[in-house]
Amino acid sequence: MHYNGAAMNLSIDDFEYDLPSGLIAQHPSKARSASRLLRAGADTVADHRFSELPDLLAPGDLLVFNDTQVIKARLFGKKETGGRIEVLIERLLSAREALAQVHAGRPAKPGSILHLEGGLEVRVLGRVGEFYHLRFPDGPTVLELLERHGSVPLPPYITHTPDADDERRYQTVYARSPGAVAAPTAGLHFDEPLLAALAQRGVEFAYVTLHVGAGTFQPVRVKNIVDHRMHAEHYEIPAATAAAIERTRRRLGRIVAVGTTTVRCLEASAAAHGVPVAGAAETDLFITPGFEFRVVDRLITNFHLPKSTLFVLVSAFAGIEPIRHAYRHAIEKRYRFYSYGDAMLVDKMPR
């Protein structure tokens, strides 16, 4: 699904920027809420600490979190021919089957067996687009096998081997629905003391679930962004969340999305129904400049890769020029970028 207006003439090159490699965060900050927070609006750029978030929100505002839980989605092994392979689960299809990326010297053939860590013999059933349809052996579920034998699927720009600290920190403190292969990184900055301070401030909380797929790291390979086709992701909006949004609207509070995945979930549902509706669905919504945001008023988000769909989404939300200006400021002030980096609090572009 693709909504555009201004997007018609935009090139992906309009979403390029130069980032010194030293600003790519390789490890999280010592404490979650000790990250920096850049507040950005139409004519505002201000430097804060993430722990100051309660002062930047108002009583009656609603924070909407994505409660997906990152699974240990990366497995290593060999093909029947002996070639080394890396398997990255994209999504779980059932207790025994999954879609995955398989990185190998040559494509894996349908019917072949992958010999993975822990003695797992996984059969390749076929291809589904860029992914492989895999069947795991009988016995424990795929999720249980990944927990035993898999590793944390850190993004490709984080260069160290995952350790116990990554298992803890590449996960939000409120994660409770297993299925993501990438963290909803805006949520990594929240810890229990900050959540308590926000509640004391009178800010309310609600949750959605969108299992972030490995496709979130896929670059846009077309020149004109209107030609890009988004990967599909499964999401769920609980009845309590739809009701909380309606209550917040009635009292003129603001809907503050924690992360671009939360934005996609809420806005996909609203695009289909007029308002966010409780239930489960799939979305391949690609939000580009010209999109009419119906639900979200403010966005908490990390800094995103150039030419990525996430950078395009944030630019659509706050305006291309305000985001360019904010990123220039962040680079000048040496903010830390990407999954383990710092965050932004972004206001929606006035209509």
Side-chain angles (χ1 to χ4, degrees), residues 57-128:
L57 302 180
D61 285 350
L62 179 70
L63 278 171
V64 186
F65 300 94
N66 181 3
D67 68 4
T68 188
Q69 184 176 337
V70 180
I71 59 177
K72 294 181 180 178
R74 183 169 273 127
L75 293 160
F76 296 94
K78 292 183 178 180
K79 291 196 293 184
E80 287 176 308
T81 54
R84 292 178 62 79
I85 55 170
E86 176 188 332
V87 172
L88 180 62
I89 302 298
E90 167 70 13
R91 75 160 71 179
L92 305 176
L93 298 175
S94 68
R96 301 274 170 273
E97 296 181 13
L99 287 183
Q101 296 178 5
V102 177
H103 301 290
R106 292 185 177 181
K109 293 178 180 175
S112 64
I113 300 292
L114 307 179
H115 300 276
L116 304 181
E117 289 165 303
L120 295 180
E121 295 194 346
V122 175
R123 182 172 295 278
V124 179
L125 298 181
R127 293 291 291 266
V128 181

Side-chain angles (χ1 to χ4, degrees), residues 174-314:
Y174 47 80
R176 58 188 175 206
S177 181
V181 302
T185 55
L188 298 180
H189 306 282
F190 290 85
D191 52 25
E192 297 297 350
L194 179 59
L195 291 169
L198 286 160
Q200 191 171 10
R201 171 77 168 152
V203 174
E204 293 194 4
F205 305 153
Y207 299 88
V208 298
T209 304
L210 186 147
H211 294 316
V212 192
T216 193
F217 298 119
Q218 294 297 314
V220 177
R221 295 188 177 95
V222 293
K223 188 81 169 172
N224 191 328
I225 63 173
V226 80
D227 296 327
H228 179 69
R229 289 295 165 261
M230 197 78 173
H231 59 287
E233 290 168 314
H234 178 82
Y235 73 86
E236 195 163 333
I237 300 177
T241 296
I245 290 169
E246 189 181 340
R247 280 198 312 275
T248 305
R249 280 274 176 260
R250 281 205 301 266
R251 65 173 176 255
L252 303 180
R254 290 171 297 185
I255 310 298
V256 185
V258 179
T260 54
T261 55
T262 301
V263 174
R264 288 188 69 221
C265 174
L266 295 176
E267 296 294 344
S269 184
H273 305 287
V275 293
V277 169
E282 294 264 319
T283 180
D284 60 356
L285 175 64
F286 181 24
I287 294 177
T288 57
F291 179 83
E292 181 187 350
F293 291 88
R294 300 173 184 225
V295 186
V296 180
D297 302 305
R298 304 182 88 187
L299 167 62
I300 296 168
T301 187
N302 277 25
F303 294 93
H304 302 293
L305 279 74
K307 295 188 175 182
S308 64
T309 59
L310 306 180
F311 189 51
V312 173
L313 182 154
V314 175

